[in-house]
PDB file of all heavy atoms in Angstrom:
ATOM      1  N   ASN V 369     -65.976   7.167 -16.369  1.00 98.00           N
ATOM      2  CA  ASN V 369     -65.362   5.927 -16.845  1.00 98.00           C
ATOM      3  C   ASN V 369     -66.159   4.682 -16.429  1.00 98.00           C
ATOM      4  O   ASN V 369     -67.152   4.776 -15.708  1.00 98.00           O
ATOM      5  CB  ASN V 369     -63.905   5.872 -16.372  1.00 98.00           C
ATOM      6  CG  ASN V 369     -62.989   5.347 -17.466  1.00 98.00           C
ATOM      7  OD1 ASN V 369     -63.362   4.420 -18.179  1.00 98.00           O
ATOM      8  ND2 ASN V 369     -61.817   5.923 -17.596  1.00 98.00           N
ATOM      9  N   HIS V 385     -62.295  13.935 -14.931  1.00 98.00           N
ATOM     10  CA  HIS V 385     -62.278  12.486 -15.178  1.00 98.00           C
ATOM     11  C   HIS V 385     -62.696  11.775 -13.897  1.00 98.00           C
ATOM     12  O   HIS V 385     -62.029  11.912 -12.856  1.00 98.00           O
ATOM     13  CB  HIS V 385     -60.859  12.066 -15.587  1.00 98.00           C
ATOM     14  CG  HIS V 385     -60.715  10.605 -15.909  1.00 98.00           C
ATOM     15  ND1 HIS V 385     -59.547  10.064 -16.352  1.00 98.00           N
ATOM     16  CD2 HIS V 385     -61.591   9.565 -15.847  1.00 98.00           C
ATOM     17  CE1 HIS V 385     -59.689   8.763 -16.559  1.00 98.00           C
ATOM     18  NE2 HIS V 385     -60.929   8.438 -16.252  1.00 98.00           N
ATOM     19  N   SER V 387     -62.854   8.163 -12.606  1.00 98.00           N
ATOM     20  CA  SER V 387     -62.225   6.912 -13.056  1.00 98.00           C
ATOM     21  C   SER V 387     -63.128   5.693 -12.825  1.00 98.00           C
ATOM     22  O   SER V 387     -64.141   5.788 -12.124  1.00 98.00           O
ATOM     23  CB  SER V 387     -60.910   6.707 -12.297  1.00 98.00           C
ATOM     24  OG  SER V 387     -60.019   7.727 -12.609  1.00 98.00           O
ATOM     25  N   PRO V 388     -62.721   4.543 -13.370  1.00 98.00           N
ATOM     26  CA  PRO V 388     -63.558   3.344 -13.243  1.00 98.00           C
ATOM     27  C   PRO V 388     -63.932   3.032 -11.789  1.00 98.00           C
ATOM     28  O   PRO V 388     -63.083   3.103 -10.899  1.00 98.00           O
ATOM     29  CB  PRO V 388     -62.658   2.243 -13.825  1.00 98.00           C
ATOM     30  CG  PRO V 388     -61.810   2.952 -14.816  1.00 98.00           C
ATOM     31  CD  PRO V 388     -61.538   4.310 -14.227  1.00 98.00           C
ATOM     32  N   HIS V 403     -59.457  15.087 -11.134  1.00 98.00           N
ATOM     33  CA  HIS V 403     -59.426  13.666 -11.494  1.00 98.00           C
ATOM     34  C   HIS V 403     -59.711  12.861 -10.224  1.00 98.00           C
ATOM     35  O   HIS V 403     -58.958  12.945  -9.243  1.00 98.00           O
ATOM     36  CB  HIS V 403     -58.034  13.324 -12.050  1.00 98.00           C
ATOM     37  CG  HIS V 403     -57.907  11.900 -12.509  1.00 98.00           C
ATOM     38  ND1 HIS V 403     -56.752  11.397 -13.040  1.00 98.00           N
ATOM     39  CD2 HIS V 403     -58.793  10.865 -12.513  1.00 98.00           C
ATOM     40  CE1 HIS V 403     -56.918  10.129 -13.358  1.00 98.00           C
ATOM     41  NE2 HIS V 403     -58.151   9.779 -13.039  1.00 98.00           N
ATOM     42  N   GLY V 405     -59.714   9.238  -8.747  1.00 98.00           N
ATOM     43  CA  GLY V 405     -59.076   7.976  -9.103  1.00 98.00           C
ATOM     44  C   GLY V 405     -60.013   6.778  -9.006  1.00 98.00           C
ATOM     45  O   GLY V 405     -61.110   6.851  -8.432  1.00 98.00           O
ATOM     46  N   ALA V 406     -59.540   5.668  -9.534  1.00 98.00           N
ATOM     47  CA  ALA V 406     -60.346   4.446  -9.592  1.00 98.00           C
ATOM     48  C   ALA V 406     -60.816   4.021  -8.202  1.00 98.00           C
ATOM     49  O   ALA V 406     -60.056   4.052  -7.233  1.00 98.00           O
ATOM     50  CB  ALA V 406     -59.511   3.333 -10.227  1.00 98.00           C
ATOM     51  N   MET V 421     -56.372  16.056  -7.560  1.00 97.00           N
ATOM     52  CA  MET V 421     -56.283  14.616  -7.842  1.00 97.00           C
ATOM     53  C   MET V 421     -56.716  13.872  -6.591  1.00 97.00           C
ATOM     54  O   MET V 421     -56.192  14.141  -5.493  1.00 97.00           O
ATOM     55  CB  MET V 421     -54.824  14.281  -8.177  1.00 97.00           C
ATOM     56  CG  MET V 421     -54.527  12.808  -8.307  1.00 97.00           C
ATOM     57  SD  MET V 421     -54.963  12.209  -9.945  1.00 97.00           S
ATOM     58  CE  MET V 421     -55.665  10.603  -9.550  1.00 97.00           C
ATOM     59  N   GLY V 423     -56.662  10.140  -5.079  1.00 98.00           N
ATOM     60  CA  GLY V 423     -55.992   8.877  -5.369  1.00 98.00           C
ATOM     61  C   GLY V 423     -56.957   7.705  -5.474  1.00 98.00           C
ATOM     62  O   GLY V 423     -58.073   7.731  -4.939  1.00 98.00           O
ATOM     63  N   ALA V 424     -56.493   6.663  -6.130  1.00 98.00           N
ATOM     64  CA  ALA V 424     -57.293   5.445  -6.258  1.00 98.00           C
ATOM     65  C   ALA V 424     -57.654   4.922  -4.868  1.00 98.00           C
ATOM     66  O   ALA V 424     -56.819   4.905  -3.967  1.00 98.00           O
ATOM     67  CB  ALA V 424     -56.499   4.393  -7.032  1.00 98.00           C
ATOM     68  N   THR V 437     -53.255  16.881  -4.153  1.00 97.00           N
ATOM     69  CA  THR V 437     -53.453  15.441  -4.306  1.00 97.00           C
ATOM     70  C   THR V 437     -53.860  14.881  -2.952  1.00 97.00           C
ATOM     71  O   THR V 437     -53.143  15.064  -1.958  1.00 97.00           O
ATOM     72  CB  THR V 437     -52.161  14.753  -4.783  1.00 97.00           C
ATOM     73  OG1 THR V 437     -51.808  15.281  -6.065  1.00 97.00           O
ATOM     74  CG2 THR V 437     -52.348  13.250  -4.907  1.00 97.00           C
ATOM     75  N   VAL V 439     -55.107  11.399  -0.782  1.00 98.00           N
ATOM     76  CA  VAL V 439     -55.122   9.926  -0.846  1.00 98.00           C
ATOM     77  C   VAL V 439     -55.580   9.361   0.490  1.00 98.00           C
ATOM     78  O   VAL V 439     -55.527  10.021   1.520  1.00 98.00           O
ATOM     79  CB  VAL V 439     -53.717   9.346  -1.185  1.00 98.00           C
ATOM     80  CG1 VAL V 439     -53.250   9.800  -2.559  1.00 98.00           C
ATOM     81  CG2 VAL V 439     -52.698   9.697  -0.119  1.00 98.00           C
ATOM     82  N   GLY V 440     -56.019   8.108   0.472  1.00 98.00           N
ATOM     83  CA  GLY V 440     -56.264   7.357   1.697  1.00 98.00           C
ATOM     84  C   GLY V 440     -57.705   7.356   2.165  1.00 98.00           C
ATOM     85  O   GLY V 440     -58.593   7.961   1.594  1.00 98.00           O
ATOM     86  N   LYS V 446     -52.068  14.838   0.565  1.00 89.00           N
ATOM     87  CA  LYS V 446     -50.724  14.274   0.689  1.00 89.00           C
ATOM     88  C   LYS V 446     -49.711  15.220   0.052  1.00 89.00           C
ATOM     89  O   LYS V 446     -48.604  15.379   0.552  1.00 89.00           O
ATOM     90  CB  LYS V 446     -50.708  12.925  -0.042  1.00 89.00           C
ATOM     91  CG  LYS V 446     -49.413  12.177   0.039  1.00 89.00           C
ATOM     92  CD  LYS V 446     -49.420  11.172   1.168  1.00 89.00           C
ATOM     93  CE  LYS V 446     -48.131  10.391   1.226  1.00 89.00           C
ATOM     94  NZ  LYS V 446     -47.985   9.634   2.457  1.00 89.00           N
ATOM     95  N   MET V 447     -50.112  15.820  -1.066  1.00 80.00           N
ATOM     96  CA  MET V 447     -49.199  16.703  -1.788  1.00 80.00           C
ATOM     97  C   MET V 447     -49.962  17.948  -2.196  1.00 80.00           C
ATOM     98  O   MET V 447     -51.086  17.841  -2.699  1.00 80.00           O
ATOM     99  CB  MET V 447     -48.635  15.988  -3.030  1.00 80.00           C
ATOM    100  CG  MET V 447     -47.747  14.807  -2.672  1.00 80.00           C
ATOM    101  SD  MET V 447     -47.683  13.557  -3.966  1.00 80.00           S
ATOM    102  CE  MET V 447     -48.941  12.407  -3.559  1.00 80.00           C
ATOM    103  N   THR V 451     -49.182  15.437  -8.807  1.00 62.00           N
ATOM    104  CA  THR V 451     -47.956  14.828  -9.297  1.00 62.00           C
ATOM    105  C   THR V 451     -48.253  13.678 -10.242  1.00 62.00           C
ATOM    106  O   THR V 451     -47.553  13.494 -11.215  1.00 62.00           O
ATOM    107  CB  THR V 451     -47.126  14.288  -8.112  1.00 62.00           C
ATOM    108  OG1 THR V 451     -48.002  13.535  -7.284  1.00 62.00           O
ATOM    109  CG2 THR V 451     -46.516  15.418  -7.324  1.00 62.00           C
ATOM    110  N   GLY V 452     -49.274  12.896  -9.936  1.00 59.00           N
ATOM    111  CA  GLY V 452     -49.558  11.696 -10.736  1.00 59.00           C
ATOM    112  C   GLY V 452     -50.212  12.042 -12.057  1.00 59.00           C
ATOM    113  O   GLY V 452     -50.787  13.114 -12.217  1.00 59.00           O
ATOM    114  N   VAL V 454     -52.404  10.102 -15.500  1.00 58.00           N
ATOM    115  CA  VAL V 454     -53.717   9.476 -15.686  1.00 58.00           C
ATOM    116  C   VAL V 454     -53.789   8.275 -14.835  1.00 58.00           C
ATOM    117  O   VAL V 454     -53.882   7.349 -14.579  1.00 58.00           O
ATOM    118  CB  VAL V 454     -53.948   9.145 -17.156  1.00 58.00           C
ATOM    119  CG1 VAL V 454     -55.337   8.558 -17.376  1.00 58.00           C
ATOM    120  CG2 VAL V 454     -53.772  10.382 -17.992  1.00 58.00           C
TER     121      VAL V 454
HETATM  122  C1  COA N 156     -52.495   9.592  -6.060  1.00 57.71           C
HETATM  123  C2  COA N 156     -51.558   9.296  -7.209  1.00 57.71           C
HETATM  124  C3  COA N 156     -51.906  10.229  -8.395  1.00 57.71           C
HETATM  125  C4  COA N 156     -50.159   9.615  -6.738  1.00 57.71           C
HETATM  126  O1  COA N 156     -49.252   9.326  -7.725  1.00 57.71           O
HETATM  127  P1  COA N 156     -47.703   9.794  -7.512  1.00 57.71           P
HETATM  128  O2  COA N 156     -47.616  11.263  -7.445  1.00 57.71           O
HETATM  129  O3  COA N 156     -46.911   9.091  -8.579  1.00 57.71           O
HETATM  130  O4  COA N 156     -47.375   9.288  -6.045  1.00 57.71           O
HETATM  131  P2  COA N 156     -46.366   8.207  -5.509  1.00 57.71           P
HETATM  132  O5  COA N 156     -46.631   6.871  -6.105  1.00 57.71           O
HETATM  133  O6  COA N 156     -44.992   8.798  -5.627  1.00 57.71           O
HETATM  134  O7  COA N 156     -46.771   8.149  -3.970  1.00 57.71           O
HETATM  135  C5  COA N 156     -46.585   9.253  -3.132  1.00 57.71           C
HETATM  136  C6  COA N 156     -47.077   8.853  -1.761  1.00 57.71           C
HETATM  137  O8  COA N 156     -48.511   8.740  -1.796  1.00 57.71           O
HETATM  138  C7  COA N 156     -48.903   7.377  -1.445  1.00 57.71           C
HETATM  139  N1  COA N 156     -50.000   7.026  -2.351  1.00 57.71           N
HETATM  140  C8  COA N 156     -50.023   7.156  -3.691  1.00 57.71           C
HETATM  141  N2  COA N 156     -51.202   6.786  -4.185  1.00 57.71           N
HETATM  142  C9  COA N 156     -51.937   6.403  -3.145  1.00 57.71           C
HETATM  143  C10 COA N 156     -53.267   5.907  -3.048  1.00 57.71           C
HETATM  144  N3  COA N 156     -54.050   5.777  -4.130  1.00 57.71           N
HETATM  145  N4  COA N 156     -53.748   5.641  -1.820  1.00 57.71           N
HETATM  146  C11 COA N 156     -52.966   5.787  -0.728  1.00 57.71           C
HETATM  147  N5  COA N 156     -51.691   6.249  -0.763  1.00 57.71           N
HETATM  148  C12 COA N 156     -51.198   6.546  -1.972  1.00 57.71           C
HETATM  149  C13 COA N 156     -47.662   6.531  -1.665  1.00 57.71           C
HETATM  150  O9  COA N 156     -47.700   5.378  -0.861  1.00 57.71           O
HETATM  151  C14 COA N 156     -46.584   7.502  -1.282  1.00 57.71           C
HETATM  152  O10 COA N 156     -46.556   7.571   0.130  1.00 57.71           O
HETATM  153  P3  COA N 156     -45.179   7.872   0.961  1.00 57.71           P
HETATM  154  O11 COA N 156     -44.707   9.217   0.485  1.00 57.71           O
HETATM  155  O12 COA N 156     -45.629   7.866   2.388  1.00 57.71           O
HETATM  156  O13 COA N 156     -44.250   6.770   0.595  1.00 57.71           O
HETATM  157  C15 COA N 156     -51.658   7.813  -7.730  1.00 57.71           C
HETATM  158  O14 COA N 156     -51.002   6.930  -6.842  1.00 57.71           O
HETATM  159  C16 COA N 156     -53.078   7.351  -7.905  1.00 57.71           C
HETATM  160  O15 COA N 156     -53.769   6.867  -7.009  1.00 57.71           O
HETATM  161  N6  COA N 156     -53.601   7.530  -9.145  1.00 57.71           N
HETATM  162  C17 COA N 156     -54.909   7.129  -9.532  1.00 57.71           C
HETATM  163  C18 COA N 156     -54.845   6.605 -10.938  1.00 57.71           C
HETATM  164  C19 COA N 156     -56.192   6.151 -11.456  1.00 57.71           C
HETATM  165  O16 COA N 156     -57.098   5.788 -10.736  1.00 57.71           O
HETATM  166  N7  COA N 156     -56.299   6.204 -12.781  1.00 57.71           N
HETATM  167  C20 COA N 156     -57.485   5.799 -13.462  1.00 57.71           C
HETATM  168  C21 COA N 156     -57.185   5.660 -14.928  1.00 57.71           C
HETATM  169  S1  COA N 156     -58.574   5.194 -15.870  1.00 57.71           S
END
Side-chain angles (χ1 to χ4, degrees):
N369 221 320
H385 182 177
S387 296
H403 183 180
M421 172 83 219
T437 298
V439 297
K446 183 95 178 167
M447 294 154 267
T451 48
V454 183

